[in-house]
């Protein structure tokens, strides 16, 4: 609901009144008319502040209006390393092209005020169609992005220059006294101290040396540093963890529900080292099933005000890449006293949900408990057991596992029936040998065991979220807001290319979207279409308010089940323990949950970026041994500079436009295809192609493919 003028600040009220140019005197009269008392000096100060932040612009005659009135817009400058660039508008939509010499000196990441050039540029697109493209120039730099850059040192004549890994910055001169023992060929981090000018090149200072630029270890270290991920724990944190000990005492068990006689077990990947969730299932006398989800009670050991807590808050999450983990907690906790290892006592938080055979919820309860896991099972073992193949699962557990699996299918069907989305985007699994070399890259298949654990964890997360919300407790929720309608319309346009027609009324219906995904199953374009929908949706994040979860169609949702590796789960455990003890949330609790939400969301983004970048390094390392060899794949992306091809093992590489043989290809953005002007050859999302590996760099992650001509055509 729009606020009344009386509720607005002076600056907000001025913004409401400046869609058209206004002088200070006109604004004074308008504000008075709307019941806002002010004087000319206050208005002038507010106008100056708004102009400084580019929320308003000043024209001749001291007239002020929003940037849009003057053909301007706010955005983020996106460098390309070439003569041209782009600006991503704050208001959303397509990036706006910035022609050569129109960048106003902006660098990648700067906040800028840009001005549209007078007329859209017309050009001939594929099939001779007339295509319009808006172009702009940078009018003013609002905020320079000051951060460390990661790249390598090289000689340029007699100068040592820094070149960023992403290629989006100019060469930066590093003076001898600022090299700090680094030398040409090293991978380094650099802080820019001067951006250069008409007569001088940009200058910087080396802040960290990672090693030789052609070393993969140096490249990984650079990625971690770039994302502010620190591998080593401070000595005081390790000392605090060591003082906790590795056994559960009688004093630790005091006041807890004793579940050491209950049959429960963990199910994780083959290489997992920490186990923070166990499951159980009991048939009740009334015919209902009691699902138990038992989570390591990390909050008992990691308490507010400790060094352990401060470091966990700073890290926010564990970071995983092939053969390695950068843990949120020291190994003394993550692999020791907090890990639900078999046949030892462990402290836990247990959630029990009583369900009928058709999945209807009858009762929910929460307990701080002490448990003893009966077995450490793996997904592979359980999948074999569920399909009646030879396996290593204790025979006594197999009937329970099969009943769990049946219940998981019921929960899954109920979730889809209420409108949850299931994108089914496969994951790439990178396996390393003992020396750290990549031994295999494959398509990771998810079986019934993975789905079973997923459904039980979702059940527990929703139950805890609903309970804490209804108890008005402070909390950190996992929220996923509704997509931008414009992005959904763009997805509908893209889906139409594959024969799916979505009416405007269906774009807000997740059931209709899931139906599109269902009908794409098994098609060459299935992954591409699912990825398009994922990109149309908002990114899930953490928040102190319950905003629901769009993708899961859940009214209440949070993360409760992984406190060893996620800080929000640890906070939720504290809030639940506090509530079960009869304590009311305080203002400080709510403030802390808000701070933890922001920090955890930021650290999750950093971890995702690092994991994605490092995985690309390992994929390139793997493909190095196949230079010149041919593979089959499908077109996973179409751009104006080439096509991305995803191999069947999910490694993706670029076929550059200038390497595509025997034709001149033009990009048609409306249909997301490249069309050959001479042959009419078309490359579109999902098309199967053959490629050969042209280049794979394990220090940059860049993978280049060449198309193999189709002899039939």
């Amino acid at each position: 609901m729009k606020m009344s003028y009386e509720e607005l600040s002076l600056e907000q009220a001025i913004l409401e009144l400046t869609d058209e140019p206004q002088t200070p005197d006109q604004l004074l009269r308008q504000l008075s008319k709307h019941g806002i008392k002010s004087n000319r000096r206050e208005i002038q100060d507010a106008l100056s502040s708004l102009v400084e932040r580019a929320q308003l612009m000043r024209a001749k005659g001291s007239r002020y209006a929003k940037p849009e009135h003057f053909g301007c817009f706010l955005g983020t400058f996106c460098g390309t390393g070439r003569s041209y660039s782009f600006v991503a508008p704050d208001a959303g939509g397509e990036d706006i092209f910035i022609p050569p010499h129109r960048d106003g000196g902006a660098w990648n990441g700067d906040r800028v005020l840009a001005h549209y050039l007078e007329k859209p540029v017309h050009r001939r697109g594929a099939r001779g169609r007339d295509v319009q493209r808006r172009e702009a120039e940078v009018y003013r730099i609002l905020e320079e992005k000051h951060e460390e850059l990661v790249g390598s040192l090289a000689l340029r004549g007699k100068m040592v220059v820094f070149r960023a890994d992403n290629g989006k910055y100019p060469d930066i001169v590093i003076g001898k006294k600022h090299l700090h023992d680094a030398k040409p060929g090293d991978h380094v981090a650099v802080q820019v101290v001067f951006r250069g000018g008409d007569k001088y090149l940009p200058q910087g200072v080396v802040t960290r040396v990672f090693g030789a630029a052609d070393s993969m270890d140096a490249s990984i270290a650079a990625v971690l540093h770039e994302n502010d991920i620190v591998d080593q724990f401070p000595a005081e944190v390790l000392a605090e963890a060591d003082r906790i000990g590795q056994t559960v005492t009688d004093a630790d068990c005091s006041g807890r529900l004793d579940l050491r006689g209950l049959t429960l077990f963990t199910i994780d990947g083959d290489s997992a080292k920490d186990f923070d969730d166990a499951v159980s299932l009991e048939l009740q006398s009334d015919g209902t099933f009691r699902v138990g989800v038992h989570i390591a009670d990390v909050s008992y050991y990691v308490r507010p005000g400790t060094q352990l807590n401060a470091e966990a808050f700073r890290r926010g999450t564990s970071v995983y890449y092939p053969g390695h983990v950068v843990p949120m907690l020291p190994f003394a906790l993550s692999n020791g006293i907090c890990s639900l290892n078999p046949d030892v006592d462990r402290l836990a938080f247990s959630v029990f949900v009583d369900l009928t055979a058709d999945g209807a919820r009858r009762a929910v309860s929460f307990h701080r408990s002490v448990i003893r896991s009966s077995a450490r099972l793996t997904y592979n073992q359980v999948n074999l057991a569920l399909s009646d193949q030879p396996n290593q699962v204790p025979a006594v557990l197999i009937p329970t596992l099969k009943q769990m699996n049946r219940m998981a299918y019921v929960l899954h069907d109920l979730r889809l029936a209420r409108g949850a989305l299931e994108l089914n985007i496969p994951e790439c699994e990178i396996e390393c040998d003992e020396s750290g070399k990549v031994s295999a890259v494959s398509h990771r298949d998810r079986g019934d065991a993975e789905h079973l654990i997923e459904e039980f964890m979702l059940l527990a997360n929703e139950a805890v979220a609903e309970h804490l919300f209804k108890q008005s407790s402070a909390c950190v929720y996992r929220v996923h807001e509704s997509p931008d309608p414009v992005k959904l319309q763009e997805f509908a346009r893209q889906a139409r290319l594959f024969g799916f027609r979505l009416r405007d009324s269906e774009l807000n219906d997740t059931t209709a979207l899931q139906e599109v995904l269902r009908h794409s199953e098994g098609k060459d374009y299935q992954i591409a279409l699912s990825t398009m929908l994922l990109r149309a949706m908002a990114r899930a994040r953490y928040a102190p308010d319950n905003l629901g979860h769009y993708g899961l169609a859940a009214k209440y949702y949070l993360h409760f089940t992984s406190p060893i590796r996620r800080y929000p789960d640890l906070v939720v455990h504290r809030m639940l323990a506090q509530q079960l003890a009869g304590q009311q949330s305080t203002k400080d609790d709510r403030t802390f949950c808000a701070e933890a939400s922001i920090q955890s969301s930021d650290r999750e983004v950093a971890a995702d970026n690092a994991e994605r970048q490092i995985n690309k390094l390992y994929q390139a390392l793997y493909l190095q041994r196949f230079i010149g060899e041919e593979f089959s794949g499908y077109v996973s992306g179409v751009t104006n500079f080439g096509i991305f091809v995803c191999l069947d093992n999910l490694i993706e590489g670029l076929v550059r436009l200038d390497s595509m043989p025997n034709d001149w290809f033009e990009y048609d953005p409306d249909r997301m295809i490249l069309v050959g002007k001479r042959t009419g050859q078309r490359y579109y999302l999902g098309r199967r192609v053959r490629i050969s590996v042209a280049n794979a760099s394990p220090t940059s992650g860049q993978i280049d493919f060449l198309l193999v001509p189709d002899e039939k055509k």
Side-chain angles (χ1 to χ4, degrees):
M1 185 174 69
K2 192 173 180 180
M3 298 172 69
S4 66
Y5 277 91
E6 291 81 359
E7 297 175 293
L8 299 174
S9 68
L10 180 59
E11 288 189 0
Q12 290 172 324
I14 289 174
L15 287 173
E16 289 287 324
L17 297 169
T18 46
D19 287 336
E20 297 294 329
Q22 302 284 328
T23 67
D25 289 336
Q26 288 173 323
L27 285 169
L28 183 62
R29 291 193 292 272
Q30 291 272 18
L31 292 167
S32 178
K33 185 176 167 182
H34 287 289
I36 299 177
K37 294 181 180 180
S38 185
N39 57 50
R40 200 177 192 285
R41 180 56 183 269
E42 290 173 336
I43 291 173
Q44 194 64 61
D45 288 346
L47 288 170
S48 297
S49 176
L50 290 167
V51 169
E52 179 67 24
R53 303 197 304 271
Q55 292 181 271
L56 288 181
M57 295 182 69
R58 179 180 175 178
K60 290 181 180 179
S62 292
R63 295 178 304 126
Y64 298 82
K66 293 176 183 174
E68 292 78 9
H69 177 81
F70 301 106
C72 295
F73 63 96
L74 302 174
T76 301
F77 187 81
C78 305
T80 63
R82 301 178 179 89
S83 59
Y84 61 87
S85 47
F86 297 87
V87 171
D90 287 353
E94 291 187 355
D95 292 352
I96 306 301
F97 183 80
I98 307 296
H101 312 301
R102 299 273 193 157
D103 58 18
W107 281 22
N108 187 61
D110 286 352
R111 293 270 300 130
V112 298
L113 175 66
H115 178 258
Y116 286 111
L117 297 180
E118 289 188 5
K119 294 180 180 179
V121 175
H122 291 260
R123 62 180 178 84
R124 306 302 290 177
R127 293 194 174 184
R129 298 168 66 188
D130 188 37
V131 179
Q132 289 189 1
R133 179 177 71 192
R134 296 301 304 268
E135 294 186 354
E137 62 182 344
V138 174
Y139 182 78
R140 179 175 145 210
I141 299 173
L142 303 175
E143 182 183 345
E144 293 183 352
K145 186 176 183 182
H146 291 286
E147 63 175 14
E148 280 186 326
L149 303 179
V150 172
S152 56
L153 298 179
L155 280 175
R156 179 173 160 181
K158 294 183 178 181
M159 296 185 300
V160 177
V161 296
F162 167 85
R163 289 171 180 159
D165 283 343
N166 60 19
K168 295 180 179 180
Y169 298 88
D171 283 358
I172 298 167
V173 177
I174 311 295
K176 288 183 179 180
K177 65 179 180 180
H178 295 141
L179 283 170
H180 296 161
D181 296 327
K183 56 188 182 298
D186 281 349
H187 212 149
V188 298
V190 160
Q191 186 71 52
V192 178
V193 295
F194 174 60
R195 285 197 171 197
D198 294 337
K199 296 182 180 180
Y200 301 100
L201 292 172
Q203 297 178 34
V205 176
V206 171
T207 55
R208 183 167 173 181
V209 182
F210 303 112
D214 59 356
S215 159
M216 187 165 170
D217 286 343
S219 296
I220 292 173
V223 169
L224 295 177
H225 180 78
E226 191 174 17
N227 290 282
D228 193 24
I229 296 168
V230 180
D231 197 357
Q232 300 299 317
F233 284 94
E236 60 271 21
V237 173
L238 293 175
E240 198 171 82
D242 289 339
R243 285 195 295 269
I244 289 174
Q246 291 297 312
T247 57
V248 173
T249 67
D250 290 342
D252 295 329
C253 300
S254 177
R256 290 177 175 268
L257 180 65
D258 191 341
L259 298 176
R260 285 174 286 193
L262 178 65
T263 299
L264 52 85
F265 42 82
T266 61
I267 308 176
D268 293 276
D270 288 354
S271 60
K273 298 293 190 297
D274 53 56
F275 316 116
D276 50 13
D277 58 86
V279 291
S280 62
L281 186 70
E282 304 166 88
L283 178 62
Q284 305 289 91
S285 58
D286 60 358
T288 61
F289 293 93
R290 173 162 290 177
V291 173
V293 176
H294 314 272
I295 308 300
D297 190 358
V298 179
S299 64
Y300 181 78
Y301 300 104
V302 182
R303 303 188 181 188
T306 62
Q307 296 282 353
L308 275 169
N309 180 64
E311 184 66 11
F313 178 88
R314 196 195 72 74
R315 293 179 177 232
T317 181
S318 296
V319 181
Y320 298 87
Y321 59 95
H324 297 80
V325 59
V326 180
M328 184 181 78
L329 299 172
F331 288 123
L333 274 72
S334 62
N335 291 23
I337 191 63
C338 291
S339 184
L340 306 183
N341 301 322
D343 303 320
V344 292
D345 292 353
R346 287 292 183 258
L347 304 183
F349 239 123
S350 296
V351 178
F352 289 107
V353 183
D354 292 353
L355 300 171
T356 63
D358 58 3
R361 189 192 298 181
R362 288 289 179 260
V364 180
S365 61
F366 311 92
H367 310 272
R368 292 191 101 165
S369 59
V370 54
I371 65 171
R372 184 177 295 162
S373 174
S374 304
R376 179 271 202 259
L377 306 181
T378 69
Y379 291 130
N380 287 332
Q381 291 171 348
V382 174
N383 282 325
L384 290 172
L386 292 175
S387 58
D388 294 322
Q389 298 181 59
N391 60 83
Q392 296 176 315
V393 176
V396 69
L397 298 182
I398 292 178
T400 299
L401 283 169
K402 290 191 172 183
Q403 183 57 55
M404 284 180 170
N405 194 40
R406 286 190 287 270
M407 185 58 68
Y409 270 97
V410 169
L411 293 171
H412 175 264
D413 291 344
L414 287 173
R415 188 160 53 83
L416 290 187
R418 76 186 185 195
L421 290 171
E422 194 165 61
L423 298 181
N424 283 329
I425 299 175
E427 295 181 38
C428 179
E429 184 166 26
I430 301 171
E431 299 177 31
C432 294
D433 58 24
E434 293 181 357
S435 65
K437 293 182 179 180
V438 184
S439 56
V441 178
S442 60
H443 181 295
R444 180 185 297 166
D445 293 319
R446 298 177 76 246
D448 282 349
E450 289 89 342
H451 288 119
L452 185 162
I453 291 299
E454 179 182 29
E455 291 301 332
F456 278 28
M457 298 305 116
L458 289 173
L459 180 70
N461 287 339
E462 289 188 49
V464 174
E466 181 175 359
H467 176 76
L468 288 178
F469 178 79
K470 291 183 175 179
Q471 295 298 319
S472 301
S473 172
C475 195
V476 173
Y477 293 96
R478 181 65 168 179
V479 303
H480 187 214
E481 292 148 294
S482 298
D484 182 337
V486 174
K487 290 185 177 180
L488 277 182
Q489 288 173 349
E490 175 64 16
F491 169 74
R493 185 183 70 79
Q494 293 167 342
R496 196 172 296 121
L497 302 175
F498 301 105
F500 299 103
R501 295 197 172 273
L502 285 164
R503 297 186 295 271
D504 286 348
S505 60
E506 293 177 311
L507 293 181
N508 293 321
D509 182 0
T510 52
T511 303
L513 296 176
Q514 184 62 44
E515 194 67 8
V516 170
L517 298 178
R518 187 178 69 82
H519 284 293
S520 73
E521 288 179 8
K523 305 292 195 306
D524 287 340
Y525 55 78
Q526 176 186 350
I527 299 175
L529 193 65
S530 296
T531 303
M532 286 181 196
L533 181 55
L534 178 65
R535 289 171 180 164
M537 293 194 292
R539 183 185 175 98
R541 62 185 178 89
Y542 296 105
D545 302 310
N546 177 43
L547 305 177
H549 197 291
Y550 174 85
L552 293 173
K555 187 176 180 180
Y556 313 98
Y557 195 68
L558 50 66
H559 280 166
F560 168 78
T561 54
S562 294
I564 287 178
R565 64 182 180 90
R566 292 189 305 226
Y567 193 78
D569 304 52
L570 175 57
V571 178
V572 167
H573 278 224
R574 287 179 188 157
M575 296 301 111
L576 182 58
Q578 186 173 281
Q579 189 278 320
L580 293 178
Q583 301 171 19
Q584 296 296 314
S585 293
T586 65
K587 183 179 179 180
D588 287 345
D589 291 332
R590 299 187 190 283
T591 299
F592 179 70
C593 285
E595 293 171 350
S597 297
I598 294 171
Q599 170 71 359
S600 298
S601 296
D602 288 346
R603 297 317 303 155
E604 180 185 53
V605 171
D608 287 349
N609 288 340
E611 289 172 0
R612 182 172 57 252
Q613 289 173 271
I614 294 174
N615 282 344
K616 286 183 178 295
L617 300 180
Y618 276 95
Q619 290 172 356
L621 179 65
Y622 176 74
L623 277 189
Q624 265 198 331
R625 71 189 76 167
F626 299 107
I627 299 293
E629 295 192 29
E630 295 183 11
F631 294 91
S632 176
Y634 69 91
V635 176
S636 56
V638 183
T639 72
N640 59 359
F641 54 83
I643 59 173
F644 288 94
V645 175
C646 186
L647 306 184
D648 293 335
N649 62 5
L650 302 183
I651 296 179
E652 190 175 59
L654 174 66
V655 178
R656 298 180 186 276
L657 199 63
D658 55 15
S659 75
M660 298 173 70
N662 305 323
D663 210 340
W664 175 259
F665 289 87
E666 286 195 337
Y667 175 53
D668 183 346
D670 292 334
R671 294 185 298 151
M672 298 181 68
I673 61 173
L674 283 175
V675 180
K677 292 191 69 175
R678 185 178 66 81
T679 63
Q681 183 78 278
R682 300 188 308 156
Y683 291 97
Y684 48 85
L685 289 173
R687 175 180 167 173
R688 299 295 300 186
V689 293
R690 294 280 298 174
I691 59 89
S692 64
V693 182
N695 178 58
S697 169
T699 56
S700 70
Q702 179 65 47
I703 296 172
D704 293 312
F705 294 150
L706 294 174
L707 286 173
V708 175
D710 188 336
E711 297 298 335
K712 295 179 182 178
K713 293 187 178 181

